[in-house]
Amino acid sequence: MPPIKHYYSIVRSTLLEHVPRGHLAAAALISAGLLILIGSSNDSSPQAVSVQSVNIPGLEIQGTETQATPIAIPPVEAIIQEVAAKAETPVAETQTPIGPQWKEFTIQNGDNLSILFKRAGLNDRSIYELFSDAKDAKDLRHIRPGQKMSFLVENGRLTGLKYVINELNSLTFERGNKGFTGKQIALKPDIKYAFRQATIDSSLYMAGKRAGMPSNLTMEMANIFGWDIDFALDIQKGDSFKVMYEEQFLDGKRIGVGKVMAAEFTNGGKTFKAVRYTDKEGNSAYYTPDGRGMHKAFLRTPIEFARISSHFNLARKHPVLHIIRAHKGTDYAAARGTPIRATGNGKVSFAGVKGGYGNVVIIQHGQGIATLYGHMNGFAKGVRNGSRVSQGDVIGYVGSTGLASGPHLHYEFHVNGQVRNPVTVPLPKSIGIEKTEIARFTETTRPLIAKLDQFKSSNRLAIANNSTNSN
Ligand SMILES: [Zn+2]
């Protein structure tokens, strides 16, 4: 890319030639915007590359495939070329066989629109025309290395442009009598279910790898069961899992991995099961087969990785007052300023100073549950009486206000007005399926669970047939 000043002068001169004087101010604004768009695509490109590779995880495991799914994975290049060729057809058909040829370029690191157009023998005037004619052109600001862009140039003029965003999405522009018009092309992949299972020998990650699972699929499964199983501490040799997930196919070729649809995890002899369900409002979540949410309504602790410095004890000798006084909560020692998180969704019923608690936040969570966070150094922005908080939101910071011997969080858990030990109180599961939706839930999820169970009793050959035929 030429130095900014130089580039700007190119755009300016283009404008001066083609824009009536009265429109100069507006055009200058557009050109300034164009500069930013083009510049920004450069800065974000290294990050964008890794995002793209995550989007097509099925392609990462080439060569480590197991026999469970008898589908060969085509090389990335082949897929991109094939998709590009297919999607081009409608535009290409309108050309005479001996007419101008499409020129295809792969976007390189450091490329911007100006460089790409130059490579195709075009100048910035074409970019300007494209951006002023077609509103879809704004998507061209997101170009990433590895993507393809094709140009149709006739007598030095751009007449067609094709930008392949990914295997499923592309954008085409065609010059007509009234300038460029853009068209978004979105191909819908076929979804098939795939199955994997493994017994853990050394680690969950290795077991997943051996079963031919992309690492992000293993992670997703761990997230689903993360409230029932501590994957850092509880995993033992002999634990096992089964997972059924979506695979995306385009013209019979696998292009990526979709969502986990059902899964089962056996940890220390105890089996947990989860199924994905999308409710009437379109929200998707994982549930037990009987419709309880997999994620609990409360975090166990408001601070991550904090040491308990004083346990819940209704007959404790107070460290400051030196008298027997109940300790109605759990103390977590942490450095002053450590963020404190709301353990559940709720409404702040009190945020202020209260006696020995010092700066304290009390949250009402509904169903008779309230939590209290004391000795705070200060409150997080926006936390005040009546404000709504979500699980995991930072509500304040560790301090030693009130009656405290040093910086720590005093955390209380109240059920129907009674204090309970925050470390041992049974935490309610998240709200399950609504009564009015339970029939729909059962109807939708039962076949998924049946498929997962069927996998359990099948031999490998039957599994393979099943995974290719099911849809
Ligand atoms: Zn305390």
Side-chain angles (χ1 to χ4, degrees):
M1 177 167 173
I4 292 287
K5 264 189 178 167
H6 177 215
Y7 183 78
Y8 183 69
S9 72
I10 294 171
V11 177
R12 272 300 281 222
S13 64
T14 310
L15 292 169
L16 287 169
E17 283 171 43
H18 292 273
V19 180
R21 284 201 164 274
H23 295 149
L24 256 185
L29 278 176
I30 293 169
S31 73
L34 193 60
L35 266 180
I36 294 160
L37 303 184
I38 294 164
S40 68
S41 67
N42 240 344
D43 302 334
S44 65
S45 45
Q47 196 186 358
V49 177
S50 66
V51 169
Q52 192 190 21
S53 70
V54 167
N55 283 344
I56 45 169
L59 298 171
E60 292 168 358
I61 56 164
Q62 188 181 2
T64 62
E65 185 61 297
T66 65
Q67 289 182 328
T69 307
I71 297 146
I73 310 164
V76 183
E77 286 304 305
I79 291 175
I80 293 171
Q81 274 167 18
E82 197 204 48
V83 174
K86 266 191 194 314
E88 262 171 27
T89 312
V91 181
E93 273 172 356
T94 64
Q95 307 300 321
T96 53
I98 344 157
Q101 297 292 304
W102 283 86
K103 281 190 269 185
E104 187 188 73
F105 299 94
T106 300
I107 297 165
Q108 309 291 325
N109 237 325
D111 275 357
N112 57 42
L113 286 182
S114 194
I115 292 171
L116 279 165
F117 274 59
K118 209 169 185 178
R119 210 171 283 154
L122 297 162
N123 59 27
D124 291 330
R125 185 179 305 174
S126 305
I127 302 178
Y128 172 71
E129 288 171 343
L130 204 57
F131 272 76
S132 53
D133 291 350
K135 67 173 180 352
D136 285 332
K138 68 184 190 311
D139 290 356
L140 294 173
R141 81 181 74 165
H142 302 303
I143 57 168
R144 299 170 192 168
Q147 292 176 326
K148 307 234 172 184
M149 198 175 281
S150 307
F151 298 85
L152 188 64
V153 181
E154 290 176 78
N155 304 322
R157 270 174 101 227
L158 178 70
T159 53
L161 180 85
K162 177 165 180 55
Y163 167 47
V164 179
I165 299 161
N166 55 39
E167 290 86 348
L168 298 175
N169 298 286
S170 58
L171 189 55
T172 62
F173 298 92
E174 217 176 326
R175 193 199 287 269
N177 295 334
K178 292 176 181 172
F180 285 101
T181 48
K183 198 164 88 180
Q184 305 263 3
I185 298 169
L187 303 175
K188 220 174 158 236
D190 296 321
I191 300 292
K192 289 177 182 175
Y193 292 145
F195 300 85
R196 290 288 186 275
Q197 71 173 343
T199 300
I200 293 169
D201 189 33
S202 55
S203 73
L204 174 66
Y205 174 77
M206 287 309 294
K209 205 174 169 188
R210 241 186 309 115
M213 290 164 64
S215 57
N216 58 340
L217 181 65
T218 308
M219 282 300 297
E220 197 185 331
M221 187 180 65
N223 282 335
I224 293 167
F225 293 106
W227 290 79
D228 294 299
I229 302 162
D230 184 334
F231 282 91
L233 299 174
D234 295 346
I235 293 301
Q236 41 192 281
K237 194 174 172 175
D239 283 358
S240 61
F241 63 82
K242 301 183 183 74
V243 57
M244 179 171 93
Y245 59 97
E246 294 177 336
E247 280 189 330
Q248 300 168 326
F249 289 84
L250 200 59
D251 300 319
K253 293 204 167 83
R254 183 166 73 171
I255 59 160
V257 170
K259 295 293 173 196
V260 169
M261 297 309 293
E264 191 181 293
F265 203 104
T266 301
N267 170 238
K270 192 175 178 196
T271 296
F272 302 90
K273 233 176 220 192
V275 65
R276 183 182 173 85
Y277 174 66
T278 304
D279 67 18
K280 282 176 189 164
E281 267 86 57
N283 304 310
S284 299
Y286 292 93
Y287 297 89
T288 62
D290 57 354
R292 284 173 296 129
M294 287 301 290
H295 286 192
K296 287 189 171 65
F298 287 89
L299 300 172
R300 181 61 77 183
T301 61
I303 304 179
E304 271 182 79
F305 311 119
R307 173 179 65 88
I308 293 179
S309 53
S310 178
H311 279 279
F312 179 85
N313 180 354
L314 294 178
R316 179 186 73 153
K317 192 176 177 196
H318 194 275
V320 175
L321 300 176
H322 300 294
I323 52 165
I324 298 294
R325 194 164 131 174
H327 188 226
K328 297 194 258 177
T330 301
D331 288 350
Y332 294 93
R336 190 181 303 278
T338 302
I340 299 165
R341 296 177 190 283
T343 50
N345 299 344
K347 201 172 180 180
V348 174
S349 62
F350 185 85
V353 180
K354 197 175 220 170
Y357 288 123
N359 288 327
V360 63
V361 169
I362 302 172
I363 302 173
Q364 301 292 338
H365 301 281
Q367 301 181 351
I369 297 172
T371 53
L372 178 151
Y373 313 75
H375 308 314
M376 284 183 174
N377 203 41
F379 306 117
K381 212 179 153 196
V383 171
R384 63 181 89 85
N385 293 357
S387 57
R388 290 228 151 255
V389 291
S390 296
Q391 184 180 78
D393 284 356
V394 174
I395 52 170
Y397 305 92
V398 169
S400 54
T401 56
L403 217 48
S405 50
H408 73 277
L409 167 70
H410 172 90
Y411 176 58
E412 291 183 12
F413 199 97
H414 298 236
V415 181
N416 297 323
Q418 304 289 309
V419 286
R420 303 286 298 274
N421 184 345
V423 176
T424 57
V425 64
L427 296 175
K429 283 258 185 190
S430 75
I431 298 157
I433 296 296
E434 300 251 356
K435 274 205 178 85
T436 55
E437 206 161 322
I438 196 80
R440 186 175 179 271
F441 170 81
T442 308
E443 192 189 335
T444 315
T445 58
R446 194 178 282 161
L448 298 174
I449 296 161
K451 269 199 169 81
L452 190 72
D453 288 344
Q454 189 186 349
F455 174 56
K456 184 160 41 184
S457 55
S458 305
N459 62 34
R460 291 188 78 82
L461 189 66
I463 295 153
N465 286 337
N466 194 10
S467 90
T468 48
N469 295 337
S470 63
N471 201 335

